[in-house]
Amino acid sequence: MKRDVRLAKTLLAAVMISVSAATGWQLWISREQTLAAADTNNLNLAQALNIYAEGIFTQSDMLLQGVTETLKADGHPHAHLQRVQSLVERQKRLLDPLDGVAVLDARGDWLIYSKGQVPPGTNSAHRPYFVHHRDKRSNDVLISPPLRNPFTGEWGITVSRRLEDDKGQFAGVVVIGLGLQNFLRAFGTIALPDTGTIGLSTNTGQMLVLYPYREKYVGLDFSKSVNFQRHFSGTSGTASFRSSVDGTKRLYAFRKSDRYPVLTTVAVGRDQALQAWRHQALLTLAVVGALLTAVAAVGWKLIINIGRRIRAEASLMAAREDLLQANRRLEILATQDPLTGLANRRSFDEVLAQESRRAAREGTALSLLLLDLDCFKSFNDAYGHVAGDQCLRAVAMALRRSIRRPGDLVARYGGEELAIVLPSTGLQGARKVAELMLEQVRALGITHSESPHGQVTVSIGVATLQDPQSHAPEQRLVEAADAALYKAKQGGRNCWVSQEEWVAG
């Protein structure tokens, strides 16, 4: 039964562990799928925004080319300004972030400004885009880091081209200003979590536009950032790391432009991306926890009931054993004399009847010895009944030690009378046993002052069953032994007498 308890506990533990492990594994898989879905969404959004940014820069490049071609045409500068303004007005409907177009000469002086008259002395020779085109002979479009508009003070991005004269010498710069606020309005139409960000930066890691807008992050350089160098080296991809700007852990996706040296990034807070998963996980854990609690309660109650059953069965087994022992004791009490420890009268009668039937069945001899302690009443009167009981026990023990065959029986016949049943024993053998019994009792040397022999002695009547087939053979055997015992007492005691003769001690 203890094995049943161990098995129940093992099964309960296996169920609890299996369900917990399966739930944990499922939640982990669901978490990874949620993060993968967030990465996919971010990457798709980054791709869409990259297309948008490429479109802005492509339209800016086309406008630059148009302005350049316009400037190459002959005519008065005032006519150039009118044509440039007309071109800008036509493109402005397609180019939302357009802030203005300017033309600078080889010294950096402003010649033309699409928004109106150029204030005298306006010069941008120190601007990075002007220095770049002046020092590097290239017709590539340059996208500059964020700069302030010299007239409005607003932040913007410049897209510029180099101008050359007929001899291929540096003749100035045509530059387009793209206002950051216009970019931010476009980015602001996209629903982002509280910790989400959208960024447009150069491939070298200089921030151009960041949404939500914070002026302190304008032009921020990430080129030496470990995260930038580690995660943004490919054409596109996803990453997860803690921002070095505000310390928030985000999921990032980026896409680099195939045509321009810019990359678009989309990021959402990792905690917010997992918010729906976390809610579902808590709900799942609550349900599974309640289920496991119920299973544990039922299982534990089952184990307790098994334990109770084991204890009840153990109690029943103990009670059964006690009952068996009590029955054995009762059997002993029913067949044993409590004073001498010999078989009692009931046992004697049963054994004698049984052996009589066996003797009749097998045709074997059966002998009986009846012993009586001589002058035992006088012994009790002289020494007391306690001493009399001790004397009777001593004689009984001596007789029992002398009987060695398993089938022989020594019994208390009644009072101070004892009996010995000797199966398969003829008269001659019974006489020898009787003589041995006399010697054993004498050897005890128990003093008896009231006896003519001076010590405790016995008288023995010996009888052998002559006709086992007769009616009530055991009764006839007892009567014969009793008659022989009577003769032994008449003959002076301390002797044995058989059916045919008596022998003095």
Side-chain angles (χ1 to χ4, degrees):
M1 294 303 294
K2 290 183 178 180
R3 182 180 179 184
D4 293 341
V5 174
R6 290 195 297 269
L7 182 61
K9 289 182 178 179
T10 301
L11 181 60
L12 180 61
V15 170
M16 300 284 286
I17 293 173
S18 299
V19 173
S20 299
T23 302
W25 176 254
Q26 185 61 40
L27 290 179
W28 174 260
I29 293 298
S30 176
R31 177 180 180 275
E32 293 302 304
Q33 290 175 345
T34 300
L35 292 176
D39 284 339
T40 300
N41 292 337
N42 287 347
L43 195 58
N44 290 338
L45 183 56
Q47 175 69 21
L49 293 175
N50 175 70
I51 294 173
Y52 169 76
E54 279 189 348
I56 295 296
F57 294 128
T58 299
Q59 291 176 12
S60 300
D61 188 17
M62 292 174 62
L63 180 55
L64 288 175
Q65 292 181 20
V67 171
T68 301
E69 295 297 327
T70 299
L71 292 175
K72 286 182 178 179
D74 295 333
H76 190 273
H78 181 70
H80 289 165
L81 176 59
Q82 288 181 339
R83 287 194 292 269
V84 168
Q85 287 177 336
S86 177
L87 180 61
V88 170
E89 287 299 325
R90 291 196 302 272
Q91 293 291 331
K92 191 171 183 179
R93 292 191 299 270
L94 303 175
L95 191 59
D96 291 337
L98 180 64
D99 191 28
V101 180
V103 178
L104 286 67
D105 63 13
R107 296 187 303 274
D109 293 329
W110 284 50
L111 300 177
I112 299 174
Y113 183 43
S114 64
K115 285 193 171 184
Q117 189 69 27
V118 178
T122 303
N123 184 277
S124 294
H126 61 286
R127 294 277 179 162
Y129 61 84
F130 183 86
V131 174
H132 173 84
H133 290 302
R134 184 192 63 193
D135 297 341
K136 184 177 181 181
R137 185 172 183 177
S138 173
N139 291 323
D140 293 339
V141 173
L142 174 67
I143 300 173
S144 73
L147 299 172
R148 287 188 181 275
N149 188 302
F151 304 114
T152 64
E154 298 294 331
W155 286 100
I157 301 171
T158 62
V159 182
S160 57
R161 272 185 175 275
R162 174 187 171 101
L163 293 176
E164 294 181 347
D165 57 19
D166 295 338
K167 297 180 180 179
Q169 299 298 316
F170 176 68
V173 175
V174 57
V175 57
I176 292 177
L178 302 176
L180 289 188
Q181 293 300 328
N182 295 328
F183 266 103
L184 293 173
R185 278 195 295 272
F187 288 172
T189 60
I190 299 172
L192 285 177
D194 294 340
T195 55
T197 62
I198 298 174
L200 181 66
S201 62
T202 65
N203 286 348
T204 57
Q206 193 161 28
M207 184 62 66
L208 300 177
V209 180
L210 180 65
Y211 176 82
Y213 174 74
R214 291 184 181 85
E215 187 173 0
K216 63 180 180 179
Y217 296 149
V218 174
L220 199 61
D221 189 357
F222 294 98
S223 59
K224 292 183 171 51
S225 169
V226 175
N227 289 330
F228 182 84
Q229 295 175 357
R230 179 183 300 169
H231 300 294
F232 296 147
S233 58
T235 301
S236 64
T238 60
S240 177
F241 55 86
R242 193 174 300 278
S243 170
S244 58
V245 175
D246 58 7
T248 301
K249 193 167 187 179
R250 292 185 174 90
L251 302 176
Y252 291 85
F254 73 95
R255 180 66 168 86
K256 289 184 179 179
S257 172
D258 296 330
R259 301 177 60 184
Y260 303 100
V262 294
L263 67 86
T264 306
T265 60
V266 175
V268 295
R270 187 184 182 90
D271 288 341
Q272 287 189 310
L274 291 173
Q275 187 172 6
W277 170 85
R278 191 176 292 109
H279 176 75
Q280 185 63 38
L282 290 176
L283 182 61
T284 301
L285 289 176
V287 173
V288 174
L291 176 63
L292 289 179
T293 301
V295 170
V298 173
W300 190 250
K301 187 174 182 179
L302 176 63
I303 291 172
I304 291 175
N305 288 337
I306 293 175
R308 287 175 179 171
R309 188 179 69 180
I310 290 173
R311 289 191 293 272
E313 291 188 2
S315 298
L316 289 175
M317 291 294 293
R320 179 176 177 274
E321 185 63 29
D322 291 342
L323 182 60
L324 290 175
Q325 291 181 359
N327 289 336
R328 284 194 290 268
R329 287 195 295 269
L330 289 175
E331 289 177 0
I332 293 173
L333 291 174
T335 59
Q336 189 178 67
D337 177 62
L339 176 62
T340 61
L342 300 177
N344 60 13
R345 175 64 181 269
R346 177 184 175 184
S347 179
F348 167 78
D349 291 340
E350 291 177 354
V351 171
L352 184 60
Q354 178 182 345
E355 293 299 334
S356 296
R357 290 192 296 271
R358 179 181 297 170
R361 185 173 60 251
E362 297 178 0
T364 57
L366 175 62
S367 295
L368 173 65
L369 276 62
L370 283 181
L371 298 83
D372 186 76
L373 273 68
D374 296 328
C375 306
F376 190 68
K377 183 179 182 303
S378 300
F379 186 90
N380 281 333
D381 293 341
Y383 300 100
H385 288 284
V386 174
D389 290 345
Q390 292 176 349
C391 173
L392 189 58
R393 279 195 294 268
V395 172
M397 291 297 295
L399 299 180
R400 189 163 57 184
R401 286 195 301 268
S402 303
I403 297 301
R404 301 186 182 278
R405 294 192 311 173
D408 296 344
L409 175 70
V410 181
R412 185 180 182 185
Y413 189 74
E416 67 273 17
E417 290 188 61
L418 306 175
I420 302 176
V421 180
L422 300 172
S424 303
T425 303
L427 185 59
Q428 190 64 32
R431 290 171 177 172
K432 291 181 179 179
V433 173
E435 184 61 37
L436 176 62
M437 297 299 104
L438 288 176
E439 293 176 357
Q440 290 295 328
V441 174
R442 294 184 193 125
L444 292 175
I446 301 175
T447 302
H448 188 354
S449 60
E450 301 300 321
S451 172
H453 302 287
Q455 65 178 35
V456 172
T457 58
V458 294
S459 298
I460 304 175
V462 181
T464 299
L465 188 62
Q466 300 295 333
D467 185 10
Q469 303 296 333
S470 63
H471 175 69
E474 62 272 17
Q475 182 178 353
R476 295 172 62 85
L477 183 61
V478 172
E479 291 174 351
D482 187 59
L485 174 61
Y486 180 74
K487 290 181 180 180
K489 285 188 174 292
Q490 283 186 333
R493 300 183 177 89
N494 192 21
C495 64
W496 59 265
V497 174
S498 68
Q499 293 167 293
E500 301 173 352
E501 58 181 330
W502 64 275
V503 177

